[in-house]
Amino acid sequence: MIRNDELEQILEEIDLKSDVPADEPMRQYYFIKKAREIIDLESQKLGRRLTADGETFGCQMNAKDSEKLTGILKAVGFEVIDSEDADLVFYNTCTVRDNANQRVYGRLGIVGGMKKKNPHKKIALCGCMMQEPSVIEKIKKSYSFVDLIFGTHNIYKFAELLSDMYSSDRMIIDIWEDTDKIVEDLPAKRKYSFKSGVNIMYGCNNYCSYCIVPYVRGRERSRDPKDIIREIEKLVSEGVIEVMLLGQNVNSYGRTLNEPMSFSQLLREVEKIEGLERIRFMTSHPKDLSDELIDVMKNSKKICRHLHLPLQAGSTRILKAMNRCYTKEQYLELAHKIRREIPDISLTTDIIVGFPGETAADVDETIEVVKEVGYDNAFTFIYSKRTGTPAAGMPNPISDAEIKENFDRLLKVVQETARSRIGRLTGEVHSVLVEEINEHDDALVTGRLSNNTIVHFKGDSGLIGKIVNVKLTQACGFYYMGEKI
Ligand code: 5AD
Ligand code: SF4
């Protein structure tokens, strides 16, 4: 990330008549300046400033990428708005399950119609779905009005791609199969002023048999710890008090570095940053969660009392077919150890129902784990076949109706467990980071406990971004009502 004033200083020195720099990020600074000229000209032709809008699907990684893309849009001179009426719309896509893909095609149908009435409108597609060759073929055939397509590895090139797009009438496609590059120091537009995601690693090497992520996000690459610390220090100097360290499997952080470093060591360094109040991270793979990490969490004043620990399935047979590298017993032992060491922690999880060959008896084992661990929340998904993954070739004799029945059975237990877990703090006083004015009642504000549970209480916008003590007066299903004290 780069601050606006730092960027402006660099841009001032760039001469667009000189050769395009070969090295990053200088090359992108050059293109930010060039794209500025183009956008200025387009805005003059239109008689108003060009507007842009980004729509994000999928996970926190994508949300973070969209902040970077939006930062570049602002830097090149767009007015960023929250409406698909904008002169440029980008869709940052997800492909983890097929319904994410279908939603993108649905949106494309609508903006395609808008573009017919408004031919200067530009449509860009990026993100995980674009890393699949079959998707690109479909877009070329059925959505030929799309102006720009890029993938997950080259989002830092957005200014360059925008310059290309505005200089061409043809669809620009730039997809890289993989990369070992990490380009830093580009602009980003953060959604919240007081909290921010921070990438600590990219890609994934786990190859769970159902999962497309390693194919669309590439091999695992860890960021240099010095760059991570520098970025967090900068964020803190701008008023950020909570960071979420992001990676597909944060527990394997640092293995690919020239000087290997563990995730726990990184956390110790982040903890030292003065002014930073809360540290979260996402996502942990149970197979790599070390005793050292439990120890660091236990002794930390800043690491939040929340651990997202995807289970995926409770049957060892299915876990083996999923290539998860742990058994039901190993997962349970780990969960118990965490609970023993950090009693006030809340555990959340992801579960897939309907993996090829998963029977009702297998799902009974998942239900057993849910009851035994007592998750504060669990995200449950119906298995979606992803072309190119090993599971896509596995026969599935289980009917859709049976899968749905198993899913509903699990969901009921998940909801009952979460409800009874969440109420356990009623009557206690806890610190809450206030995030926003309540969506439904503007006399209330909404914030989060360290354990990630939502709390609503009386307050005004002056509290946003502050950590305050709140008495949790009433548990209402998945959230609390409280009173500031
Ligand atoms: N089908 C259904 N759910 C999936 N997930 C990943 N791949 C699939 C798939 N093919 C779920 C996992 C993961 C979460 C982000 O999405 O539970 O943890
Ligand atoms: Fe995130 Fe995976 Fe979806 Fe990509 S495919 S947006 S990494 S969940």
Side-chain angles (χ1 to χ4, degrees):
M1 212 188 70
I2 187 168
R3 278 204 318 263
N4 280 348
D5 54 325
E6 293 169 323
L7 178 68
E8 291 311 319
Q9 226 171 23
I10 296 170
L11 293 187
E12 231 169 75
E13 316 251 304
I14 291 175
D15 177 5
L16 289 179
K17 290 193 199 76
S18 64
D19 289 345
V20 180
D23 290 339
E24 299 294 3
M26 267 326 273
R27 184 179 173 90
Q28 293 316 308
Y29 299 149
Y30 176 96
F31 278 106
I32 288 174
K33 188 156 181 170
K34 181 162 179 207
R36 250 186 212 184
E37 283 198 353
I38 300 172
I39 301 306
D40 254 359
L41 211 68
E42 294 287 324
S43 298
Q44 277 168 29
K45 273 195 249 165
L46 213 66
R48 59 167 174 80
R49 200 150 152 224
L50 284 189
T51 55
D53 170 47
E55 301 288 326
T56 309
F57 299 81
C59 65
Q60 310 254 7
M61 288 282 176
N62 259 22
K64 179 74 194 173
D65 283 352
S66 286
E67 291 191 356
K68 296 179 183 174
L69 294 165
T70 308
I72 294 172
L73 286 173
K74 274 184 85 96
V76 304
F78 282 96
E79 180 189 346
V80 175
I81 62 170
D82 187 18
S83 157
E84 282 158 288
D85 281 333
D87 301 304
L88 173 113
V89 182
F90 77 76
Y91 293 95
N92 191 4
T93 63
C94 171
T95 186
V96 78
R97 286 171 292 276
D98 187 54
N99 54 8
N101 298 44
Q102 295 315 319
R103 278 170 55 210
V104 170
Y105 291 127
R107 297 310 311 162
L108 273 181
I110 295 168
V111 284
M114 290 159 91
K115 184 166 172 157
K116 268 202 192 116
K117 289 191 210 120
N118 191 359
H120 85 271
K121 188 180 184 81
K122 301 280 184 195
I123 297 164
L125 292 172
C126 61
C128 298
M129 206 175 138
M130 301 306 127
Q131 294 293 138
E132 292 181 273
S134 61
V135 169
I136 304 301
E137 284 318 306
K138 181 164 173 163
I139 292 167
K140 280 205 263 188
K141 214 169 108 211
S142 310
Y143 302 92
S144 56
F145 54 82
V146 168
D147 300 282
L148 169 63
I149 303 178
F150 55 108
T152 54
H153 302 301
N154 52 353
I155 63 158
Y156 71 86
K157 272 185 71 181
F158 196 30
E160 180 170 351
L161 294 166
L162 286 171
S163 305
D164 294 347
M165 180 183 80
Y166 276 101
S167 323
S168 162
D169 293 330
R170 308 224 328 261
M171 185 191 283
I172 307 271
I173 303 178
D174 189 4
I175 310 282
W176 301 358
E177 236 172 71
D178 205 347
T179 185
D180 50 13
K181 245 196 220 169
I182 297 179
V183 179
E184 310 261 350
D185 293 330
L186 287 167
K189 167 80 182 79
R190 284 189 283 109
K191 190 169 168 205
Y192 297 97
S193 60
F194 52 88
K195 67 169 190 175
S196 178
V198 173
N199 296 109
I200 63 165
M201 58 204 298
Y202 300 94
C204 180
N205 281 355
N206 285 321
Y207 294 97
C208 301
S209 64
Y210 51 83
C211 187
I212 198 153
V213 171
Y215 308 93
V216 298
R217 288 257 168 198
R219 278 167 302 140
E220 189 175 294
R221 296 149 342 259
S222 291
R223 273 179 81 191
D224 187 323
K226 285 196 274 318
D227 291 330
I228 297 171
I229 299 294
R230 194 168 55 104
E231 178 173 338
I232 300 175
E233 283 172 347
K234 207 175 215 178
L235 289 166
V236 170
S237 77
E238 291 172 8
V240 166
I241 55 172
E242 177 180 299
V243 290
M244 163 85 87
L245 308 178
L246 296 172
Q248 300 296 348
N249 175 14
V250 291
N251 299 109
S252 65
Y253 171 81
R255 288 186 192 158
T256 54
L257 291 168
N258 291 337
E259 288 172 46
M261 176 184 208
S262 71
F263 180 54
S264 312
Q265 284 171 305
L266 176 71
L267 280 173
R268 282 203 190 95
E269 293 307 310
V270 176
E271 173 106 18
K272 287 181 198 155
I273 297 175
E274 240 171 85
L276 182 65
E277 307 257 1
R278 282 182 168 189
I279 305 166
R280 300 185 184 277
F281 53 83
M282 214 30 142
T283 292
S284 290
H285 193 308
K287 80 176 163 64
D288 296 314
L289 199 143
S290 65
D291 287 351
E292 193 191 358
L293 177 66
I294 299 175
D295 199 52
V296 169
M297 287 186 82
K298 181 179 167 176
N299 294 309
S300 167
K301 299 252 174 331
K302 298 184 179 175
I303 301 174
C304 288
R305 288 331 199 206
H306 172 217
L307 189 66
H308 187 66
L309 196 62
L311 168 68
Q312 311 300 3
S315 136
T316 296
R317 186 178 72 87
I318 295 297
L319 285 168
K320 192 159 195 307
M322 287 177 160
N323 192 29
R324 290 291 288 174
C325 307
Y326 53 85
T327 62
K328 172 189 182 183
E329 289 71 26
Q330 284 167 332
Y331 184 97
L332 280 172
E333 203 185 305
L334 178 63
H336 286 310
K337 194 183 337 173
I338 296 166
R339 274 267 150 75
R340 220 174 26 243
E341 295 296 320
I342 318 170
D344 57 343
I345 202 160
S346 89
L347 293 173
T348 58
T349 201
D350 291 341
I351 299 170
I352 300 174
V353 175
F355 183 84
E358 189 185 47
T359 62
D362 290 317
V363 178
D364 285 342
E365 294 205 58
T366 305
I367 290 175
E368 245 177 68
V369 177
V370 171
K371 285 184 175 161
E372 195 168 329
V373 174
Y375 296 106
D376 273 49
N377 196 5
F379 300 95
T380 48
F381 308 106
I382 288 193
Y383 168 76
S384 170
K385 181 173 171 173
R386 309 316 288 139
T387 310
T389 60
M394 297 179 190
N396 194 3
I398 317 292
S399 72
D400 285 354
E402 205 173 328
I403 292 173
K404 181 75 179 43
E405 211 172 282
N406 286 335
F407 181 84
D408 291 344
R409 224 152 39 85
L410 170 70
L411 189 64
K412 196 162 158 267
V413 178
V414 159
Q415 288 175 342
E416 282 165 6
T417 315
R419 208 162 275 144
S420 68
R421 282 286 306 166
I422 285 186
R424 71 191 182 279
L425 304 178
T426 310
E428 296 180 13
V429 174
H430 286 267
S431 64
V432 173
L433 170 55
V434 182
E435 299 196 340
E436 57 207 359
I437 296 287
N438 184 287
E439 266 181 32
H440 307 289
D441 180 352
D442 59 13
L444 300 178
V445 288
T446 299
R448 268 171 213 274
L449 298 177
S450 165
N451 77 11
N452 213 33
T453 308
I454 300 265
V455 186
H456 306 293
F457 60 98
K458 223 177 233 147
D460 57 40
S461 60
L463 293 175
I464 293 175
K466 299 214 164 70
I467 294 182
V468 292
N469 282 328
V470 176
K471 181 165 184 186
L472 308 174
T473 48
Q474 194 189 355
C476 312
F478 298 102
Y479 60 87
Y480 285 104
M481 296 305 294
E483 275 165 25
K484 182 174 168 293
I485 58 163

